[in-house]
Structure formats: C-alpha cells, structure tokens
Amino acid sequence: MGKTNYNDGEIMNTGGMAKVAAVQFETGTDVDENLATCLRMIDQAALQQPDIVVLPEFCNHLSWYDDDDHAWRVAVPEGGEFLAAVAARAARHQCYIVINVSCQRTAPAITVTSFLFGPDGSTVSQSDKQTLMGHENDYFVRADSVSPVVVTPFGQLGIFPCRDGVTCETPRGLALRGAQLFCDSLNSFALDEASLHIPARAPENKVFLVAANKVGPLIPRPLLEPVSEATRIPLKFLMGAGESQIVAPDGSILAKGPLDEEAVVIAEINLADSNSKLRPDGTDLFLSRRPELYSDIVKAPEGEYCGPAAETAEVAIINPQADGEAAIAEVIEAIALLNDDIQLVVLPELFCFANALVTDVEQAVQLSVSAIAQLQQACSGALHIATTLVEQHATGTAHTGLLINSEGVVARQPQLHSIARHSWATPGDQLHTVDLSWGKVAIITGDDAVYPELIKVAALRGVHAIIVPFDLQEAWEIEFGLLSRAAENRLCVIAASRQRPQGGGVICSLERDFTILTEWKERAFDGNINYPIITLQAKDTIVTTATIHPNAAANKVMSANTDLLQQRPWQLSGRLVE
C-alpha cells in the first residue's frame, strides 16, 4: 500500500470499511452518574457492533463551575477510575472509543481532552483542545502540541473537540497529515454548529466526519431559569442541540440524530473514499495548495484586524443567460435597470465565455478587452462591477479577477491556485485588498474560494467582504463552503456563479447581534450564534440583490475571551504553511 501525498511521511494510505457511531446524551453535575450514563450509552451503541464510537465533549461534568477548586475536583485524572471504566468498555466491545473530559494535569492545570481507547483497552491517543470558548478560558489551558493522526485497521483518525471544528485550522492540519475520518466531540447549544460549521469541515477536506453532541441542559438544572433571565437566552436554547451526525467527503449527511433525545447515530463508511482529493475537473484540492501564500495564519495576533466600515451596502449578483458579446449586452441592460443605490455588482467567473471555459486564448483576450470597456461605460456614480476575465501579461496569460468602475479597472487579482480546467492560466503570487467607500474587500478569483486558508488570510488582512466571481463545481461549495467562509471569519460574501444543477450564487451578510452574553438589539436569540444572513440566487433569475452589513465584520468576538481571529490556534497551524 503506497504512502499518501498529503501526510507527514510515515502514515500509510490505508482505508477500509468501518461502522462508526456518534452517541448523544445528557450529563449533569454528578461525575459517577455521568460515568454510568456513558457506559450505558456505549453498551447501547455496542448492540450494533460499531468499530468506532464517538461520545460528546465534557462527558464527566457539565462545563459549569463554582470556582477553580470546583473545576479541579470534578475533572478526572488520566488513568483514574472514570477513564479506566471507559477503556474497559472498549476492550469488552472490541471497538475504538473517543471520549472527551476535563482532565487533571499538573496542578492546577486542567485540559479539555479527547481520549481514544483501543479494542484492547489501551490508551491510543490524547488530543487537547486548541481553542477555548468563553468561560473555558477561565478554567482550562489550551493545547501546547498538535493532535496526533491515529492509524487504525480501518484508516487514519483525526480527533478534536467542539470549538476546534468551528474554524478551519485544526481539521485542515489533521487532514494534511493524513486523517481520513474526523472524530468531533461537541458540547453545544448552537443550532448553526450542526447545520453549518461542523459539516463544512468534511467536504472542504474531502474526509468523513462523525460528530457527537449533547442533549439536555448544559448548565445545572437549578440555574436554568435565572441564567435564562440574566442572559436573555430562552430556556430551550440552554440545552444541548443534539443533531449528532456522520458526514461523507462530498458533504452529504449519511445519518443524523434528533435535536433533543438520546440517540445512537450510526453509518457504515469506507475510509478509502477519503483518499481522493480530486475536484470534478481533475484538480487535486491538496496538491494545488499554495502554502507560501498562507503565512499570515501562523503570525502572532497583533491588535484588532478589522476596522469600522459602513453599516450597510447594497449589492447585486447578475447571471446572464447568453454568451459572448450577447452576454455583455445582457449584463449592461440588467445594470441599467438596477436601483441607483446598488454599489457593487458581481458577475460569474468568465461571464461572457460559453460554459466558463476558454478554448482560444487569443480570442479570449480580445473578448475580455471588449468586456472591460463596455462594463466601464455601464458604471456610473459609486457603482463597481466585479468579474473574472482573461488578460495577457509579461509573465503569461492570467485568469484575473477584476474590479471596474467608471474610470476603468481599479483592481486586479489573478487566480492564485492552478486548476485543471484553466490550465492555460499562470497563477498570481499574492492576495490584494481594496478599500471601497463602504469597506475593505478582497477579490477571490474562481476556485480560490475552496481553499479555506486563503479566506482566513483575507480576514487577517482586515477585509469586510470577499467578492467571489466563481463557477460552481460541487454542491458543498454553496451548501457549506461559502457560508462557512462567511461565518468562521465574520465577513460578508458576494458570490456569483452560473446556475448549475447544484445551485448558483449566494450573498451572505452578517447578523449585527453576535457576541454571546451581550445585549442583542435587532434579534432575539434563536439558537444560531453565527449563521450568516443568506440570499440565494434563484433558479432562472438574472438579477439578485441584497443588503449586506460590512461593519458587522469588525466584531469578531463570539463570547468572552473568544475572538475568532485573536484566539485562533496560530501556534499549532504550522502544517498549513509547510
């Protein structure tokens, strides 16, 4: 069996059939009772003879403490009775078990740790949490080393808990080191974690994912009503959000649990399906990465990343139905009918080329020159138009993202990643940002949007929005990909594509009420912390408009001591830039 091109060298490119289970249940404040629940649910899952069982986060005690001493007393020691009993169950049922607990280290240090026990009852690996959420920062210490990739007879496992899967860095690093299955333990009341953030990690890395969440109260029952009143969070949203799930490498949900009941969620998978990272056009999603472009990710945080911007901006995506000069005329006609307050129009990738493909470079350059001139003439006032076209430079022919106004081309962004269907294009060498009257933007040209590292770099450079002229290739891009880029980085997305069977373009704005446990002025808490405001391009619709909130991108604080960029795991993200 050959070695994979994506890992650190010694992990073999194995993979085979495995039955995986995500187990969801309620825990409370009695450690012994919680252990009994864990063992009962493991036994229930074992009736279906799984190979791998994943349990939720904080299985030993609710993540709610009176003080430091309380947090220490209810944490469990490595090798103690709690974990030994779980290890014994792994041996009894001849399966792998992932369980997450708060773990006593050298006093007073406590970590949030996922333990993997093998079918012989041995401790196979430990994975400490890399990014802490809210009050977790008051009681626990973050990981000081990357999580291992674990070789099993079925394939390679990458293990992380909850918050580590809300952003791309930790899962991406595991996938680059050969992980074929992500095992994610959750302790979450957020509906958007199960509907967006967690499932996005599977298709963007083309791996399987099994995620186990809690149900029932996430704080002690006697405190539910006073906490609900103090935080203005309805009682029903102080519960674990369930929906434990198993996700395939293409983003399809293979199995999913209920919102509010105990459950064993199970599916049979073939981890070998995670070995291919090919896009429909033959581009290898990992081998085409440009690590030298992502160096901002491993730089230590320095102050605020994103400054103030306009509260609102009016934007549109236009999807012409014709090709060639007829497409240009169709766009110009559509622009003439727009309201005067539209400040940005985004067109699909290579909008005037049949099927967004270039067959003759010389003719493509000529058509692009014509398109630029006519789009410039169509602009008036503050309007900007973005698309991609073909340009000839001294270093070669480029697939270039363009921003055009009444004065001409004001910004150029060559595509940065080489892709198979545009083999004629020479990639650019850096990501640019542009200051507009309503905020700072970056043009993400075509398939550059499927590389989460690049969008992270754009966020670290302070953009309020990314402009994405692209051509949709896979359903996950519109179901999870672009939405996750907006959410995990807190930036707006204006993305235009031709209508494809999988979907079309999308405009993602941001809720202005975002930071948990602060006063929300525009919306009541509905279970979603960070799900973007979505306007989908309707089928057979040429023009789609929306209002976005650029200034909302300046707020990256999800909860106390939880800034999406300041608290990212930059020290442990080195694999992303190697």
Side-chain angles (χ1 to χ4, degrees):
M1 188 96 45
K3 294 177 181 177
T4 171
N5 291 314
Y6 315 118
N7 58 38
D8 283 340
E10 294 306 317
I11 296 175
M12 303 303 288
N13 184 10
T14 59
M17 298 301 299
K19 186 179 286 187
V20 297
V23 183
Q24 67 180 38
F25 50 84
E26 176 182 338
T27 61
T29 56
D30 186 303
V31 176
D32 291 335
E33 289 183 5
N34 293 334
L35 174 59
T37 299
C38 290
L39 300 181
R40 175 175 60 83
M41 294 303 296
I42 290 169
D43 291 343
Q44 185 175 326
L47 295 175
Q48 302 189 59
Q49 298 183 308
D51 299 298
I52 304 165
V53 179
V54 180
L55 277 64
E57 188 182 32
F58 294 112
C59 283
N60 58 309
H61 190 277
L62 291 176
S63 182
W64 191 275
Y65 314 100
D66 299 331
D67 50 35
D68 291 344
D69 180 65
H70 181 212
W72 174 265
R73 283 187 287 106
V74 299
V76 298
E78 180 184 353
E81 292 181 6
F82 190 104
L83 293 175
V86 176
R89 277 305 201 276
R92 175 188 296 185
H93 298 305
Q94 296 287 290
C95 65
Y96 289 87
I97 296 178
V98 176
I99 184 169
N100 181 276
V101 295
S102 58
C103 184
Q104 295 176 355
R105 301 301 188 179
T106 302
I110 311 171
T111 57
V112 182
T113 303
S114 294
F115 286 86
L116 174 65
F117 298 111
D120 60 356
S122 64
T123 302
V124 178
S125 73
Q126 302 179 30
S127 302
D128 292 342
K129 196 171 188 177
Q130 297 181 12
T131 48
L132 301 176
M133 177 71 174
H135 76 97
E136 293 173 7
N137 291 278
D138 299 330
Y139 300 107
F140 308 123
V141 295
R142 293 169 59 165
D144 59 9
S145 61
V146 297
S147 301
V149 173
V150 180
V151 180
T152 75
F154 320 105
Q156 288 104 237
L157 311 185
I159 300 168
F160 54 85
C162 206
R163 174 75 178 85
D164 285 349
V166 173
T167 55
C168 69
E169 293 96 324
T170 299
R172 187 65 147 191
L174 287 164
L176 291 171
R177 289 187 282 123
Q180 297 164 301
L181 170 66
F182 292 153
C183 300
D184 185 4
S185 299
L186 304 175
N187 179 71
S188 177
F189 63 84
L191 298 176
D192 48 320
E193 195 151 3
S195 62
L196 175 58
H197 310 301
I198 296 308
R201 303 288 82 89
E204 75 183 10
N205 292 292
K206 293 193 178 294
V207 303
F208 287 97
L209 178 145
V210 53
N213 196 12
K214 292 272 190 71
V215 292
L218 296 185
I219 62 175
R221 284 186 179 275
L223 299 179
L224 282 171
E225 289 191 8
V227 169
S228 175
E229 184 177 346
T231 61
R232 298 184 179 88
I233 296 177
L235 205 64
K236 64 180 180 180
F237 295 126
L238 294 175
M239 309 289 175
E243 295 194 318
S244 300
Q245 59 193 293
I246 299 164
V247 188
D250 65 357
S252 58
I253 310 299
L254 303 178
K256 194 171 191 176
L259 273 169
D260 54 5
E261 299 174 4
E262 282 189 353
V264 175
V265 181
I266 199 156
E268 194 164 2
I269 62 176
N270 186 348
L271 271 67
D273 292 343
S274 295
N275 292 338
S276 174
K277 308 300 180 184
L278 295 182
R279 298 266 284 158
D281 69 353
T283 302
D284 189 300
L285 194 61
F286 277 17
L287 295 183
S288 58
R289 294 174 66 254
R290 299 279 304 280
E292 69 274 15
L293 299 179
Y294 317 142
S295 60
D296 289 12
I297 290 175
V298 294
K299 295 177 181 177
E302 295 182 2
E304 297 298 324
Y305 287 97
C306 190
E311 282 296 326
T312 62
E314 303 300 319
V315 301
I317 52 180
I318 295 179
N319 176 31
Q321 307 299 299
D323 299 317
E325 290 288 348
I328 301 172
E330 188 178 356
V331 166
I332 291 171
E333 181 180 353
I335 290 172
L337 297 175
L338 291 174
N339 291 337
D340 292 339
D341 59 357
I342 296 293
Q343 295 159 280
L344 174 69
V345 168
V346 182
L347 312 177
E349 170 183 330
L350 298 172
F351 79 99
C352 53
F353 292 84
N355 208 31
L357 293 174
V358 171
T359 55
D360 184 310
V361 171
E362 185 175 341
Q363 290 181 2
V365 171
Q366 293 175 356
L367 180 59
S368 297
V369 170
S370 174
I372 291 170
Q374 293 182 67
L375 293 176
Q376 178 183 349
Q377 289 296 316
C379 289
S380 61
L383 179 65
H384 288 74
I385 302 172
T387 188
T388 78
L389 291 166
V390 183
E391 292 196 315
Q392 193 76 48
H393 303 289
T395 55
T397 306
H399 177 216
T400 307
L402 299 166
L403 192 62
I404 301 164
N405 67 8
S406 60
E407 297 180 357
V409 176
V410 296
R412 286 181 164 86
Q413 179 61 67
Q415 187 162 342
L416 297 172
H417 298 86
S418 295
I419 63 170
R421 71 179 182 277
H422 297 332
S423 58
W424 47 268
T426 301
D429 58 6
Q430 61 180 311
L431 178 69
H432 306 285
T433 63
V434 184
D435 290 313
L436 299 180
S437 61
W438 49 266
K440 180 179 287 189
V441 303
I443 304 170
I444 306 297
T445 303
D447 280 19
D448 282 349
V450 302
Y451 301 87
E453 301 95 329
L454 188 66
I455 314 305
K456 185 70 65 178
V457 169
L460 292 170
R461 295 186 182 177
V463 306
H464 300 92
I466 56 172
I467 298 169
V468 188
F470 77 119
D471 191 57
L472 182 65
Q473 302 292 305
E474 298 179 270
W476 71 267
E477 297 174 63
I478 196 71
E479 293 173 355
F480 302 123
L482 289 166
L483 279 58
S484 180
R485 306 287 179 262
E488 73 165 283
N489 300 292
R490 284 285 291 175
L491 46 75
C492 301
V493 175
I494 310 99
S497 170
R498 282 170 175 74
Q499 195 72 38
R500 299 298 189 188
Q502 305 94 331
V506 65
I507 301 171
C508 298
S509 186
L510 303 173
E511 295 282 7
R512 286 181 278 204
D513 292 316
F514 166 57
T515 305
I516 302 172
L517 304 183
T518 61
E519 183 181 0
W520 286 13
K521 299 178 180 179
E522 295 185 358
R523 64 177 178 131
F525 186 77
D526 61 359
N528 292 291
I529 300 173
N530 195 20
Y531 201 93
I533 303 169
I534 297 168
T535 303
L536 287 171
Q537 174 185 316
K539 187 176 181 180
D540 301 324
T541 298
I542 295 176
V543 178
T544 302
T545 63
T547 301
I548 61 171
H549 302 145
N551 196 48
N555 179 15
K556 310 291 187 185
V557 180
M558 181 182 290
S559 184
N561 300 314
T562 312
D563 185 295
L564 293 174
L565 299 185
Q566 296 280 358
Q567 272 76 51
R568 73 188 192 280
W570 63 274
Q571 308 99 317
L572 302 180
S573 299
R575 186 64 181 85
L576 277 62
V577 301
E578 291 175 1

